[in-house]
């Protein structure tokens, strides 16, 4: 660990704040000696555990978890032309076993279509096998050439959830895309992360997809972060990998497929959206410790206070909360600072005077202070945890809303972008107009056909040509 001197940079200096916070709050260590590979500290990994458990729980409602190999033989990897074009510059190859060159080069999966689909070809036989909905949570490798960043752009994505579904018809696959989007919304909502859903422009879709729907969050500096994508694969891959099923009339049909991915960018968004100048702010659902008990034991009531604090810890733990009693020999102020940095939602202060009054002072990480009854502490804590979740949600929603800016003229675009906003324009979805918008701004069309409660004018006149257009996000993305 670097020496713990100086202060966390202000969040207004977002990049510095983010990088500094990752080690100060013990989330990631960036000192691993391979570029783009980072190490989870136990505290960061504990946050990951709660976030990914939630994702598993949501997926397990109608998917099944599975696990495929990391290595993909070259000939499988090279089967789908668009997929190769999209990924060939990003693939790591295993070429040797010991000192012996391999007969068949092996790709480290950058994503697992070409590992999974040859097996799906064996598994899918008849319409009765469909739909098939499997997912895995694995590491994937991408030789990223844009600037690598912990949690945001990795060369080893350590926490890649990829879902791969197979359906009889194109329409059923489309319905699955909508289902995965609803699931993603529920997932992020549980962590108070506002998302914007949009359709990637055709030239930006996943290699081998009919279309790609992206989920974006607006980061503190106004850049967007793509924190999930759902792809309708149509029959691109089923053609290549011969994934066919026998329909009710005994005829062989090509299957339709979807895939869907979420990575530790979800945790980057969580940290970035909610944190403040003092450090992390974790919504209770993601917090390894939801409440920390700080006994104030100055004077001779030490024993009484400690006994009450221990009982409080026991009661709250029994009620299902993740609680920690901090008995370290440190000044209370130093403990406050420590737990604030780590984003613990509630601090429960218990001193002799509180004890006499039969209460605990509860201080939320968002700055509210109020007493609760000691005798009914689990109820009180439950209420305040609900309150802080709502406070965190409101802050994140305000941030997102205030970083969207409607723009009606080409000339207005740069002003909005320079002010750190994501521009909302109307665009006819014509490539020429898209190019004109991107050239004008040095930013990208992030997605069109936008779905967001923050954007109401879903249709209007194309900012470039004046024809009918759909609400479209233009911004700078990570
Ligand atoms: N097979 C499909 C699901 C797929 O690979 N889609 S994807 O390429 O769009 O990746 C899914 C998600 O992973 C992206 O939306 C993005 O949130 C995340 N992701 C992609 N590359 C990443 C990287 N280098 N580091 C961290 N996250 C990444
Ligand atoms: Zn146009």
């Amino acid at each position: 660990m670097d020496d713990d001197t100086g202060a966390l940079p202000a969040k207004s200096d977002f990049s510095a704040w983010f990088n500094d916070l990752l080690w100060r709050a013990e989330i990631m260590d960036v000192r691993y000696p391979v570029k783009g590979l980072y190490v989870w500290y136990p505290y960061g990994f504990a946050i990951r555990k709660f976030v990914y458990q939630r994702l598993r729980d949501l997926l397990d409602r109608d998917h099944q978890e599975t696990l495929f190999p990391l290595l993909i033989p070259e000939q499988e990897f090279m089967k789908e032309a668009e997929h190769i074009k999209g990924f060939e510059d990003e693939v790591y190859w295993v070429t040797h076993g010991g000192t012996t060159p391999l007969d068949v080069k092996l790709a480290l999966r950058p994503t697992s279509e070409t590992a999974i689909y040859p097996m799906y070809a064996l598994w899918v036989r008849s319409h009765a096998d469909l739909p098939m909905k499997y997912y895995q949570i694995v590491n994937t490798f991408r030789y990223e050439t844009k600037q690598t960043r912990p949690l945001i752009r990795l060369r080893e994505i350590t926490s890649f959830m990829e879902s791969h579904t197979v359906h009889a018809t194109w329409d059923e696959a489309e319905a699955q895309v909508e289902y995965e989007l609803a699931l993603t919304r529920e997932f992020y909502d549980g962590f108070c992360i506002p998302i914007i859903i949009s359709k990637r422009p055709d030239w930006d879709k996943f290699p081998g997809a009919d279309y790609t729907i992206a989920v974006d969050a607006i980061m503190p500096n106004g850049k967007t972060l793509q924190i999930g994508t759902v792809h309708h694969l149509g029959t691109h891959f089923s053609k290549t990998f011969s994934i066919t099923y026998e329909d009710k009339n005994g005829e062989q049909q090509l299957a339709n497929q979807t895939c869907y991915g979420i990575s530790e960018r979800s945790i980057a968004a969580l940290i970035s959206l909610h944190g403040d100048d003092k450090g992390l702010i974790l919504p209770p659902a993601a917090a390894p410790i939801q409440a920390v008990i700080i006994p104030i034991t100055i004077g001779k009531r030490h024993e009484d206070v400690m006994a009450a604090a221990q009982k409080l810890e026991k009661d709250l733990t029994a009620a299902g909360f993740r609680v920690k009693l901090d008995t370290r020999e440190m000044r209370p102020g130093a403990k406050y600072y420590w737990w604030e940095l780590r984003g613990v939602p509630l601090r429960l202060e218990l001193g002799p005077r509180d004890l006499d009054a039969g209460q605990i002072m509860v201080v939320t990480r968002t700055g509210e202070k109020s007493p609760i009854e000691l005798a009914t502490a689990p109820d009180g804590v439950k209420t305040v945890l609900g309150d802080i979740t709502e406070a965190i949600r409101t802050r994140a929603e305000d941030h997102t809303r205030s970083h969207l800016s409607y723009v009606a003229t080409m000339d207005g675009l740069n002003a909005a972008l320079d002010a750190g906003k994501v521009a909302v324009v109307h665009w006819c979805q014509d490539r020429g107009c898209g190019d004109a918008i991107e050239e004008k701004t040095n930013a990208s069309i992030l997605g069109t056909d936008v779905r967001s409660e923050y954007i109401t004018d879903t249709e209007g006149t194309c900012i470039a040509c004046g024809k009918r257009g759909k609400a479209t996000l233009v911004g700078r993305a990570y």
Side-chain angles (χ1 to χ4, degrees):
M1 169 111 353
D2 297 345
D3 44 27
D4 191 358
T5 53
L8 179 67
K11 196 181 177 188
S12 52
D13 186 1
F14 173 64
S15 222
W17 175 88
F18 183 74
N19 289 330
D20 217 68
L21 183 56
L22 289 184
W23 69 262
R24 280 181 195 272
E26 296 184 293
I27 297 176
M28 306 295 300
D29 196 326
V30 302
R31 292 172 300 175
Y32 192 75
V34 180
K35 184 177 154 67
L37 276 52
Y38 309 98
V39 182
W40 288 94
Y41 280 109
Y43 189 66
F45 200 71
I47 296 170
R48 176 196 184 275
K49 186 173 79 174
F50 291 109
V51 171
Y52 275 72
Q53 189 54 51
R54 175 72 181 146
L55 186 56
R56 277 200 165 88
D57 289 345
L58 290 170
L59 284 160
D60 286 345
R61 287 177 184 168
D62 93 318
H63 296 63
Q64 288 173 284
E65 188 167 2
T66 174
L67 188 57
F68 278 76
L70 165 64
L71 298 175
I72 305 173
E74 181 177 20
Q75 65 272 29
E76 299 297 349
F77 190 78
M78 294 306 206
K79 265 186 186 158
E80 213 289 326
E82 283 179 41
H83 196 67
I84 307 166
K85 247 199 285 153
F87 279 105
E88 66 186 348
D89 293 340
E90 292 186 9
V91 176
Y92 286 91
W93 289 102
V94 177
T95 57
H96 286 71
T99 54
T100 314
L102 297 176
D103 292 340
V104 176
K105 280 203 293 179
L106 300 168
L108 292 186
R109 60 182 166 219
T111 167
S112 302
E113 285 70 13
T114 57
I116 294 176
Y117 299 169
M119 299 308 295
Y120 275 10
L122 303 174
W123 292 352
V124 174
R125 304 269 61 141
S126 109
H127 62 88
D129 298 325
L130 302 179
M132 195 177 263
K133 304 177 190 177
Y134 298 155
Y135 75 93
Q136 61 177 4
I137 299 177
V138 295
N139 57 348
T140 57
F141 292 82
R142 296 185 181 185
Y143 185 73
E144 295 278 2
T145 46
K146 276 180 147 186
Q147 187 183 356
T148 54
R149 293 172 197 273
L151 298 178
I152 291 179
R153 178 166 284 102
L154 305 104
R155 287 186 170 173
E156 180 185 0
I157 309 171
T158 68
S159 312
F160 194 68
M161 186 294 294
E162 48 178 325
S163 147
H164 296 269
T165 69
V166 191
H167 307 267
T169 65
W170 197 93
D171 288 353
E172 283 170 45
E174 183 182 43
Q176 183 66 24
V177 168
E178 292 304 313
Y179 181 91
E180 317 271 36
L181 289 170
L183 189 157
T184 306
R185 190 177 277 294
E186 198 175 340
F187 169 64
Y188 282 117
D189 189 56
F191 300 110
C192 311
I193 298 172
I195 58 169
I196 302 173
I197 293 173
S198 66
K199 188 171 177 178
R200 283 275 177 264
D202 236 26
W203 60 87
D204 228 10
K205 66 187 181 189
F206 184 69
D210 272 3
Y211 65 86
T212 290
I213 308 280
V215 174
D216 288 283
I218 304 182
M219 298 290 265
N221 57 2
K223 279 197 193 180
T224 59
L225 184 66
Q226 178 183 291
I227 53 174
T229 25
V230 187
H231 314 284
H232 193 310
L233 302 177
T235 55
H236 289 249
F237 287 91
S238 62
K239 261 186 222 134
T240 316
F241 290 95
S242 305
I243 306 174
T244 61
Y245 67 94
E246 191 177 273
D247 70 13
K248 288 190 175 121
N249 307 317
E251 316 238 339
Q252 288 296 314
Q253 303 287 353
L254 282 175
N256 281 268
Q257 296 181 269
T258 80
C259 68
Y260 156 44
I262 283 188
S263 76
E264 54 256 64
R265 281 189 182 180
S266 53
I267 293 169
L270 176 88
I271 290 171
S272 306
L273 275 169
H274 302 322
D276 68 6
D277 286 351
K278 293 180 185 170
L280 290 181
I281 296 182
L282 294 173
I289 300 166
Q290 295 170 318
V292 61
I293 304 169
I294 311 278
I296 319 277
T297 60
I298 344 139
K300 30 186 197 295
R301 301 282 302 281
H302 180 90
E303 237 117 90
D304 289 358
V305 169
M306 284 310 279
Q310 274 156 5
K311 178 167 186 307
L312 178 63
E313 183 190 27
K314 217 169 117 221
D315 290 350
L316 292 175
T317 305
F321 300 107
R322 300 190 285 272
V323 186
K324 178 158 181 85
L325 170 59
D326 187 349
T327 56
R328 290 174 301 172
E329 298 284 327
M330 272 164 79
R331 291 188 30 255
K335 290 184 181 176
Y336 298 171
Y337 172 84
W338 171 277
W339 295 113
E340 278 171 357
L341 177 61
R342 285 162 181 77
V344 173
L346 303 186
R347 181 169 86 220
L348 311 181
E349 301 172 10
L350 185 60
R353 241 176 293 148
D354 300 307
L355 200 53
D356 294 339
Q359 67 175 39
I360 321 157
M361 192 52 79
V362 181
V363 184
T364 74
R365 181 59 183 79
T366 47
E368 309 295 326
K369 195 167 175 165
S370 59
I372 62 170
E373 298 282 318
L374 191 50
T376 55
D379 291 340
V381 163
K382 183 167 181 232
T383 305
V384 188
L385 283 175
D387 293 346
I388 188 172
T389 298
E390 287 321 305
I392 291 172
R393 190 189 310 285
T394 303
R395 290 165 75 244
E397 286 176 351
D398 290 347
H399 158 79
T400 303
R401 196 178 294 111
S402 70
H403 279 77
L404 288 165
S405 169
Y406 278 100
V407 175
T409 63
M410 290 287 258
D411 288 332
L413 266 173
N414 278 319
L417 294 166
D418 291 343
K421 313 265 166 153
V422 176
V424 183
V425 305
H426 293 102
W427 171 50
C428 66
Q429 308 195 346
D430 173 85
R431 177 86 201 237
C433 289
D435 287 346
I437 292 168
E438 293 194 340
E439 274 156 33
K440 179 88 187 175
T441 59
N442 216 342
S444 309
I445 292 190
L446 302 169
T448 186
D449 234 334
V450 174
R451 302 184 218 171
S452 159
E453 56 267 47
Y454 311 112
I455 295 169
T456 45
D457 294 347
T458 50
E459 292 197 18
T461 23
C462 174
I463 186 175
C465 74
K467 283 194 244 152
R468 285 304 281 174
K470 295 256 171 82
T472 299
L473 298 178
V474 180
R476 302 196 170 109
Y478 269 101

